[in-house]
Amino acid sequence: MAVRVQSGDFDPGAELSSFVQEAASAGAVVTFTGLVRDIAGGLQYLEIEHYPAMTQSALESLEATALTKWKLQSCLIIHRYGRLNLGETIMMVATAAPHRAAAFEAADFLMDNLKSRAPFWKKEVSKNSETWVQSKDTDKAALRRWKFK
């Protein structure tokens, strides 16, 4: 179980390999890796800002909720900050549980909350503009599934 907020890149394959070794007795492992994608207008890079103590605490709280609600055997959350170029890894979530449904649901819960509730501020920088990313209606709708939190 780990929560890491970092500026440096990481290797999702190596992280998954290590995670699976630690969760060897689990029946299911689910992972998601987010990448910087292009936007209309030609994204040059994404700038992610945060307040370290607030972010770490918020992500640890999300992890604790997922561990308890879905009785996970293990959980991993990695989220980067700073300047990220197209195609770079932004974040990774991994969950391990006795059964696949719990692993999938917990990963989905974590991803929805990381996108909309975690205290990160994202700015998209293109050749002609800089835009702070706002929460979308679809993001808010996704959060409504998690009424217990």
Side-chain angles (χ1 to χ4, degrees):
M1 289 165 264
V3 171
R4 295 194 332 247
V5 181
Q6 61 191 54
S7 61
D9 199 7
F10 61 92
D11 178 347
E15 295 292 345
L16 174 58
S17 179
S18 177
F19 184 79
V20 168
Q21 286 179 357
E22 293 172 16
S25 65
V29 170
V30 169
T31 65
F32 174 82
T33 303
L35 306 173
V36 177
R37 67 175 179 266
D38 200 359
I39 58 167
L43 184 75
Q44 289 187 313
Y45 62 90
L46 183 67
E47 184 73 35
I48 301 176
E49 297 181 5
H50 76 114
Y51 293 113
M54 178 192 294
T55 305
Q56 188 72 28
S57 176
L59 271 55
E60 287 172 357
S61 178
L62 288 174
E63 176 193 42
T65 299
L67 287 165
T68 302
K69 172 71 176 166
W70 287 279
K71 298 177 179 64
L72 299 179
Q73 290 177 306
S74 194
C75 181
L76 171 67
I77 301 170
I78 305 171
H79 204 296
R80 293 181 61 201
Y81 63 90
R83 181 182 168 145
L84 303 172
N85 296 311
L86 286 174
E88 285 192 61
T89 305
I90 299 174
M91 56 81 67
M92 179 177 178
V93 165
T95 57
H99 303 284
R100 66 182 172 167
F104 273 109
E105 287 177 18
D108 208 17
F109 164 81
L110 290 169
M111 291 179 294
D112 284 345
N113 280 276
L114 284 168
K115 180 161 179 106
S116 299
R117 286 198 175 139
F120 291 102
W121 296 271
K122 300 172 186 169
K123 181 171 44 173
E124 295 172 336
V125 179
S126 64
K127 185 176 182 180
N128 299 316
S129 69
E130 295 184 0
T131 306
W132 289 101
V133 177
Q134 302 296 316
S135 182
K136 297 179 177 95
D137 289 339
T138 54
D139 299 333
K140 294 173 187 171
L143 286 176
R144 285 194 286 274
R145 296 183 301 155
W146 314 111
K147 301 257 187 229
F148 63 89
K149 180 65 178 149

